[in-house]
Amino acid sequence: MKKKGRKPRRKQTLPKAIAPIEEEPAAVKNAPHTFVIRRGVHCSSVTHLSRDFRRMMEPFTASKLRERRLNKVKDFVHLSGFFHVSHMCILSLSPQTLSLKVIRMPKGPTLTFKVHQYTLAKDVVSKSRKQYVDDDCFKAAPLVILNSFSGEGQHLKLMASTFQNMFPPINLSTVKLSSLKRCVLLSYNPVSKLIDLRHYTITAVPVNLNRGVKKIVTRNIPNLGRFEDIADFVEKGHLLSESELDDEETHVVLPQNLNRGNLADNQSSLRLHEIGPRITMRLIKIEDDLMTGEVLYHDYIAKSAIEVDAIRKKRMQIRNLKEKRKKTQEDNQKKKERQKQEHRAKTSGRTAGQITDRDRQLLKDAQDAVGEVSDEDDRDYYREEIGDNPDEELFGSAHGGNRKRPFIPKGSNYSLKPKKPRMDRRKEHEEDDRLAKKDRKKHFKEGKEQNGKGKFAKRGNVKSDYQGKSKYREGGKKGGKGHGGGPKQGKKSKSSKRK
């Protein structure tokens, strides 16, 4: 029985599945997004501070944004419209100070703050007595709390509105309390003009419950090895130690149900756990445009109305000059493009859609070349020269109906003249080689006869002139140097003197 061969399995090419593109909801698109970048002198602590700042601004920020030294602020400004970015925070380190710039995209204003002190998030968490970090709390935007920003001055109102617009607004009628797990506190000191930025997580604990029951509800159960029954743990819960004391000011009545025993219309205690970073800063100046506009407020420098008017006029002149140069460049570019088209049309000898005399002549030659060929002229010539009618086979099959005619495109430089045939000169070269070989043999025989018999035959050990120069050592005049470069006969060599 014949053995069946195994058939090779062919690899099936499955069609590539295209992942569906999910559109973001309108609430996510309209929410304020932020870029946090670092500029200036490289410092590892400032790099960690920028990462902590991004983590504080989550989820509406580019947490994995990679900025390079080659990137400029304009590059991020151009991308802001595509990613719905509304604000940009720049941490710039110079040899003198560290500054924080908050920019409203895409045309300002720009707020510049001088950073007096800062503490990284890892240092804040490591120094706290009770550490609490929950990664789920970063899935929702934090709550913004402003303190003492209601003083006199337009710069305070502008600062307050800028900080509020950096985070998404909260609708009190539709908000869920379970999504409010973080808060950002900005406190302004009117005396020192310093702003303290703090970042906390919010937890709620039920009030008026036994400590044992509270620990069970909050899933903070201690070691139960010293209790015989769970009832003993619940009844003797007051004997358990608790690290934090409840303050009556932190007690609130919840309008919605929360997890871990926090029910609606019941009292709960709110607790804050600082997770960092800490920043203490001061407002230096406010600019109208994107980092290069008119200075609206400056903390150190105050100018009169006349100086301000002069600066505005100077800025207006610079702006008009810039627009004039831009317009001149555009006009020059259009002029060069027009000249280039005119030069191209002039050199080619045609304009768009125009046929020249040369094109007409080419078309005529092509039509004559590919037209029908008649054999009447050839037959008449044959009759006149030979005196007899030609055979039908002589001119009948010369131009068949199935002959393929050459296609000559319009305006091409195709030559209708036949190409020169290549000459095969191999036979001529072979004949020249044969004659040269014959001449060499003849000269060799003549030289041999002259050496043996002739009148000028050489005697002794004199070799033939036809031998190679490499073997020719003797010759020349007496006492002279031969072609081989040997020593002269009249003098002795140095080796003989030594002997």
Side-chain angles (χ1 to χ4, degrees):
M1 186 175 177
K2 192 176 180 181
K3 217 174 188 180
K4 291 184 178 180
R6 193 176 70 176
K7 294 182 180 180
R9 292 184 179 180
R10 293 182 179 179
K11 189 176 180 181
Q12 296 180 357
T13 56
L14 299 176
K16 294 182 179 180
I18 301 174
I21 301 173
E22 298 181 358
E23 292 187 359
E24 295 181 346
V28 177
K29 285 184 179 180
N30 298 331
H33 294 68
T34 310
F35 274 160
V36 181
I37 61 176
R38 179 186 53 81
R39 312 298 291 173
V41 183
H42 179 72
C43 181
S44 60
S45 59
V46 178
T47 304
H48 289 297
L49 181 62
S50 64
R51 292 175 184 173
D52 295 341
F53 204 94
R54 289 177 187 174
R55 191 165 176 80
M56 182 182 69
M57 302 298 295
E58 285 185 356
F60 300 110
T61 186
S63 57
K64 295 183 180 180
L65 180 66
R66 294 183 179 179
E67 67 271 14
R68 299 178 180 177
R69 291 185 178 179
L70 298 177
N71 297 130
K72 298 182 180 180
V73 179
K74 289 184 179 180
D75 301 337
F76 298 102
V77 174
H78 293 324
L79 292 174
S80 61
F82 181 76
F83 292 106
H84 310 287
V85 177
S86 60
H87 292 79
M88 183 164 60
C89 301
I90 303 175
L91 286 165
S92 179
L93 179 63
S94 65
Q96 288 79 21
T97 183
L98 173 65
S99 62
L100 172 64
K101 294 185 179 182
V102 181
I103 305 171
R104 172 70 178 178
M105 307 292 281
K107 292 187 178 181
T110 303
L111 282 72
T112 304
F113 299 91
K114 180 182 178 182
V115 179
H116 289 266
Q117 294 177 355
Y118 67 90
T119 307
L120 301 179
K122 61 179 182 179
D123 298 330
V124 172
V125 174
S126 63
K127 294 297 180 181
S128 60
R129 186 167 54 88
K130 189 175 182 181
Q131 300 178 3
Y132 180 84
V133 178
D134 186 11
D135 292 336
D136 294 336
C137 65
F138 293 98
K139 295 180 180 179
L143 179 67
V144 184
I145 302 173
L146 301 178
N147 183 26
S148 301
F149 280 91
S150 59
E152 295 181 359
Q154 295 294 329
H155 63 285
L156 293 178
K157 295 180 180 179
L158 185 58
M159 271 197 299
S161 62
T162 302
F163 290 138
Q164 285 178 349
N165 295 329
M166 287 175 66
F167 300 93
I170 296 173
N171 191 354
L172 297 178
S173 60
T174 59
V175 68
K176 292 184 179 180
L177 295 180
S178 57
S179 63
L180 301 178
K181 295 183 178 181
R182 291 186 299 137
C183 70
V184 175
L185 174 62
L186 291 161
S187 179
Y188 177 72
N189 189 351
V191 178
S192 60
K193 298 182 181 180
L194 295 178
I195 302 170
D196 295 327
L197 186 146
R198 300 291 184 268
H199 186 207
Y200 300 96
T201 57
I202 305 171
T203 58
V205 180
V207 183
N208 299 329
L209 291 178
N210 190 8
R211 291 183 180 178
V213 177
K214 189 187 296 184
K215 288 187 178 293
I216 294 174
V217 171
T218 57
R219 300 176 187 177
N220 189 14
I221 302 173
N223 187 11
L224 302 177
R226 51 182 175 173
F227 299 101
E228 295 180 358
D229 193 3
I230 190 66
D232 297 338
F233 173 72
V234 174
E235 291 175 358
K236 299 178 181 179
H238 62 280
L239 299 177
L240 298 173
S241 62
E242 192 167 0
S243 58
E244 293 186 7
L245 298 176
D246 290 336
D247 191 2
E248 293 182 358
E249 295 180 357
T250 61
H251 294 178
V252 294
V253 178
L254 300 177
Q256 298 177 5
N257 291 334
L258 288 178
N259 53 358
R260 297 182 182 180
N262 297 293
L263 303 177
D265 299 332
N266 289 335
Q267 282 191 350
S268 297
S269 176
L270 298 180
R271 295 176 182 176
L272 301 178
H273 306 275
E274 189 174 2
I275 57 177
R278 289 182 180 180
I279 299 176
T280 303
M281 54 189 175
R282 180 174 178 175
L283 180 65
I284 300 299
K285 66 177 178 178
I286 301 174
E287 296 175 272
D288 186 16
D289 204 351
L290 189 70
M291 300 174 62
T292 56
E294 180 183 354
V295 178
L296 303 177
Y297 169 82
H298 203 286
D299 191 22
Y300 300 144
I301 302 171
K303 293 186 178 181
S304 62
I306 299 173
E307 294 176 345
V308 172
D309 192 13
I311 292 172
R312 286 179 181 175
K313 288 181 180 179
K314 188 176 180 180
R315 292 180 64 84
M316 186 62 69
Q317 291 176 0
I318 294 172
R319 189 181 302 171
N320 294 337
L321 182 61
K322 187 177 180 180
E323 292 177 357
K324 186 178 178 180
R325 287 177 178 174
K326 188 175 181 181
K327 187 178 179 181
T328 305
Q329 288 177 358
E330 291 177 357
D331 295 342
N332 292 337
Q333 190 174 1
K334 291 179 181 178
K335 184 179 177 181
K336 286 182 180 179
E337 190 67 25
R338 187 169 60 256
Q339 289 177 355
K340 190 184 293 184
Q341 291 179 359
E342 291 176 357
H343 179 71
R344 190 182 295 125
K346 187 176 179 180
T347 52
S348 61
R350 73 182 72 181
T351 57
Q354 183 180 358
I355 300 176
T356 59
D357 296 338
R358 185 172 178 274
D359 295 339
R360 293 192 186 94
Q361 186 66 29
L362 286 172
L363 290 172
K364 186 179 179 181
D365 294 343
Q367 289 175 0
D368 295 343
V370 300
E372 295 181 359
V373 182
S374 62
D375 299 334
E376 295 298 330
D377 298 338
D378 297 337
R379 291 176 187 275
D380 294 341
Y381 179 77
Y382 187 85
R383 289 191 192 99
E384 290 177 0
E385 296 295 330
I386 304 300
D388 194 7
N389 292 328
D391 297 336
E392 293 294 334
E393 296 178 356
L394 186 60
F395 296 104
S397 61
H399 303 288
N402 296 329
R403 179 184 173 186
K404 294 183 179 179
R405 305 293 182 181
F407 174 73
I408 303 174
K410 294 182 180 180
S412 63
N413 295 326
Y414 181 76
S415 178
L416 297 174
K417 295 181 181 179
K419 292 183 178 180
K420 253 186 177 180
R422 292 182 64 183
M423 303 295 293
D424 191 4
R425 299 184 179 276
R426 185 173 54 187
K427 294 181 179 180
E428 296 180 6
H429 294 312
E430 289 178 355
E431 184 68 19
D432 294 341
D433 295 342
R434 189 176 62 78
L435 293 174
K437 189 175 181 181
K438 190 175 179 181
D439 292 341
R440 283 198 300 271
K441 287 182 179 179
K442 184 178 178 181
H443 287 303
F444 181 73
K445 288 180 181 179
E446 291 177 356
K448 196 172 182 181
E449 290 175 358
Q450 289 179 4
N451 290 335
K453 297 180 181 180
K455 181 179 177 181
F456 302 99
K458 297 180 182 180
R459 298 179 182 180
N461 295 330
V462 179
K463 296 185 179 181
S464 175
D465 293 339
Y466 290 95
Q467 290 183 354
K469 289 184 179 181
S470 60
K471 297 180 180 180
Y472 186 73
R473 299 296 181 186
E474 299 177 1
K477 297 181 180 180
K478 259 189 180 181
K481 194 174 181 180
H483 291 282
K488 295 182 180 179
Q489 294 179 1
K491 295 181 181 181
K492 293 182 179 180
S493 61
K494 293 181 181 181
S495 59
S496 60
K497 284 183 181 181
R498 289 176 184 175
K499 290 179 181 180

